[in-house]
Amino acid sequence: MEPVSETPETGTVRSRKAQRKQQKPSEDSSSKRSSSMEANENERLQASDEPEKRCDSDVAKHKEADVRAALPKEDADDRYSFSISVQLNAATLGLFLLSFVTRFYRITHPRGIVFDEIHFGKFVSLYLKNTFYFDQHPPLGKLLIAGVAGAIGYSGNFEASKIGSEYDASVPILALRFIPALCGSLLAPIVYSILRQVKLGQGVCILGGLLIILDNALLTHSRFILMESMLLFFAALGILIVLRFLQADPFSIRWWVLGTIAAASLTAAVCVKFVGFYTYLLALYVMARHVWLELPDGRKSNASILARVITQLVLLVTVSLAVYVGCFYVHFATLYKAGPHDNVMTSAFQASLEGGLASITKGQPLRVQHGSQITLKHTHGRVCWLHSHTHVYPVKYKDGRGSSHQQQVTCYGFKDVNNWWIVKRPTKDNLMVDEEPDYIEHGDVVQLVHGVTSRALNSHDVASPMSPLCQEVSCYIDYNISMPANLLWRVEILNGKESKNKWHAITSQVRLVHVNTTAALKYTGEQLPDWGYNQFEVAADRRQQTIDTIWNVEEHRYTQHQDKKEVLSKLLATEMIPTEPTKLSFWSKFSELQLKMLMHADKLESHMYSSEPHEWPLLDKGIAYWIDSESNAQIHLLGNLVVWYSATFAIVLYVGLLVLYLMRRRRLMFDLNPTEWARFRLGGEIFLVGYLMHYLPYLFVERTLFLYNYLPALLFKVLLLCFVLDHCQLALRKFAHRPALVVGIFRAIVVAWFAGVLYFFQRYSVLSYGTTTLSADDVLALRLKDTWDLIVHKP
């Protein structure tokens, strides 16, 4: 196996027949590789290679041939034929077996919890117990792992307190780590196939697969209950099938099948982690690029191109929606019991779960009226309840602003007696329910009286403590000063169609608008200082139309006279919340969970192993995943330094060559013939764009990031590295004075470089497997950079 291809071929996509043909290398081979359709055009262009002899018509013809060269070469018409073939050549099979061995070697070690296995292991157990959980990423990866574990009879008795703690003997570690390891094993042959699809020679394609196998970071993430190997597998498979889809005969059975598989694979990547959407966008870009290059082809009518584009979009959207929605349908069908995470969801969602909020609210009144005692929960975002206590706002804040010195109103994240409020009609003096129900409807004006302190909810033209652009919200205390009470609030029911504008407990989402100032009661998200007991700020905002101004009644009961218990009995007998779990449609659950996942991004402010995007390309920092309690044996996420630095250099080299070629072409000096130029652009327009799509967005992300966020970008960086190696050999053959000698030297350099890849992989595999006992000196010897925080806790 030679590390660099001797036979670079032409075009954007290789046909099956061309794959079987091997051309003999020669110094002028690149000029003979054009298709027969373009032969005459290329000869004319080659004959007029000197810039001073070129005319405008020649340039136009050159560009037209350039575009045609980038179009896929179609096989014979297969519109009415259908065949299924599985090609397992020695290269793909060998790469898979080698990758399989490296991923599954002692996969049950360690028996302790490795890094984020503490989270994903719990999620899998909750699936097997049908208990609802909340995660900010879609569920497909966890579902696949849970499916394998459940198939062998695992009951989900996962108990873990911290990273490093031992798994119980009943936990099937191999089954839980099987899917990530299998996906990691399949990635190398997929990378090989992608490189073959863009016409690289077999040698450099095999090299690409080996680089995936020999990267320590990809190895580490493929061996544990982590999501990245599944994300990379579906993303890479989606790109591979898209490239094959674009060369199939439109509207043939093969075309439909490949389009369906491509859409399903790309969507599956999104269903593992939302960052898979970047790969989805890349696939759309590749498809749009293919259409753009076809436009100059006069053999295809406008109607045929338009029909195919519309059909592709319909197919893509239909399959993607079916896969995405189906994934969540299985998710909800499996998780029907209440669990520890359901308080993130709305009260209506919680009440739909078996044994959840419905058991707390069982038998409580449905409709809110004068005299209702209620708790108001912030519907979207952080879980907290409208709260007040006897403490007042400080007279002066640290910035010198003054307050009203009224009673504090906050949003408290725990159930508490101070969360209860009484709904009162402004025209009535008592706080009890009447014999005749006085129900509250959309648009009614009410007062909210705090149940413990008996002070009413108030707002006025005083700046809020943490959000000065908003008004302070308080419970009014009459200090006998010139600050009148403004206690009136208008009830606006946002989903009133469902309840015919009646205010219902649990289901009605309401906005409370202050009558005097038209500001809406709002959870600001700001945390109060010690004087506010670190609870969350509640303010009134004139910008009403935000989700942070939406509340709902969670717990509800009627205030009664001691001598009128029969009135309460009568009211309770009329309209009650059902004793069974509230029925909530799949689409209601689906839409709510999508909103919650987007809002509940990881807001962890700092972590000792977090890193910044600018540190990733040169591997400035790793992550400690696990350490043996008896020795310094450990698992640490580090990539193969030789691969990472080489691939980063390849990006710079490709961009430099691209700029050079463009400038020379601008000067009418065409170093590459149309076929070669089209192929050179193809590599950048797939692999470089793919890298940038998966890397640049993180520069604008404000949440905590880790090195594993870089792995999707690394995949495309390795693909580009292989592409650059192949092009360098082509350029040396084409432009070197003594090409045979220069190419030989280049190959020797590549062999030496690959030996470095092997050496680094072997040396640092001890940090991927964690099976080797290390002394303190061994750990320090592995620390090539001062920023690598390898752990030494034993002498």
Side-chain angles (χ1 to χ4, degrees), residues 33 97 128 189 205 339 457 578 630 663 681:
R33 289 176 297 182
L97 292 177
L128 299 175
C205 295
L457 190 69
E630 303 297 329
M663 293 178 65
R681 284 174 30 224

Side-chain angles (χ1 to χ4, degrees), residues 380-453:
H380 300 296
R382 177 173 289 274
V383 178
C384 61
W385 290 264
L386 188 67
H387 178 93
S388 187
H389 40 234
T390 57
H391 305 280
V392 297
Y393 291 110
V395 177
K396 291 284 187 180
Y397 300 123
K398 284 186 177 181
D399 59 4
R401 292 185 297 114
S403 76
S404 66
H405 203 51
Q406 298 280 320
Q407 181 173 302
Q408 297 175 15
V409 172
T410 66
C411 204
Y412 189 47
F414 301 93
K415 292 183 180 294
D416 187 88
V417 66
N418 282 313
N419 297 347
W420 286 91
W421 301 79
I422 302 174
V423 179
K424 177 182 178 297
R425 287 282 192 186
T427 56
K428 296 184 178 181
D429 295 329
N430 66 72
L431 298 176
M432 312 299 173
V433 295
D434 298 325
E435 293 188 12
E436 293 298 325
D438 186 4
Y439 295 127
I440 308 298
E441 300 184 359
H442 175 77
D444 287 356
V445 175
V446 300
Q447 294 175 337
L448 291 177
V449 180
H450 188 238
V452 174
T453 63

Side-chain angles (χ1 to χ4, degrees), residues 721-733:
L721 169 61
C722 297
F723 189 88
V724 169
L725 287 174
D726 186 81
H727 182 76
C728 285
Q729 182 174 253
L730 169 67
L732 292 174
R733 281 179 172 170

Side-chain angles (χ1 to χ4, degrees), residues 164-284:
S165 58
E166 292 290 318
Y167 284 107
D168 184 84
S170 62
V171 176
I173 299 178
L174 174 60
L176 293 174
R177 295 174 178 173
F178 178 81
I179 291 295
L182 179 62
C183 291
S185 303
L186 291 168
L187 185 59
I190 291 177
V191 165
Y192 166 86
S193 299
I194 291 175
L195 293 172
R196 292 292 284 172
Q197 204 66 33
V198 296
K199 295 299 193 280
L200 299 193
Q202 190 169 24
V204 77
C205 295
I206 293 175
L207 176 64
L210 291 174
L211 293 180
I212 295 297
I213 295 172
L214 298 176
D215 183 76
N216 302 73
L218 295 176
L219 170 65
T220 302
H221 253 267
S222 298
R223 290 175 45 81
F224 306 109
I225 313 174
L226 304 172
M227 298 294 108
E228 272 64 30
S229 63
M230 289 179 278
L231 169 66
L232 294 177
F233 165 73
F234 286 119
L237 180 62
I239 293 299
L240 171 62
I241 302 302
V242 164
L243 293 176
R244 291 181 174 176
F245 168 70
L246 292 177
Q247 59 177 315
D249 188 23
F251 305 109
S252 65
I253 296 179
R254 180 170 179 266
W255 186 85
W256 286 104
V257 171
L258 289 174
T260 301
I261 297 174
S265 298
L266 294 168
T267 309
V270 180
C271 290
V272 173
K273 275 194 168 184
F274 277 130
V275 293
F277 185 64
Y278 298 141
T279 310
Y280 199 100
L281 291 178
L282 175 64
L284 291 177

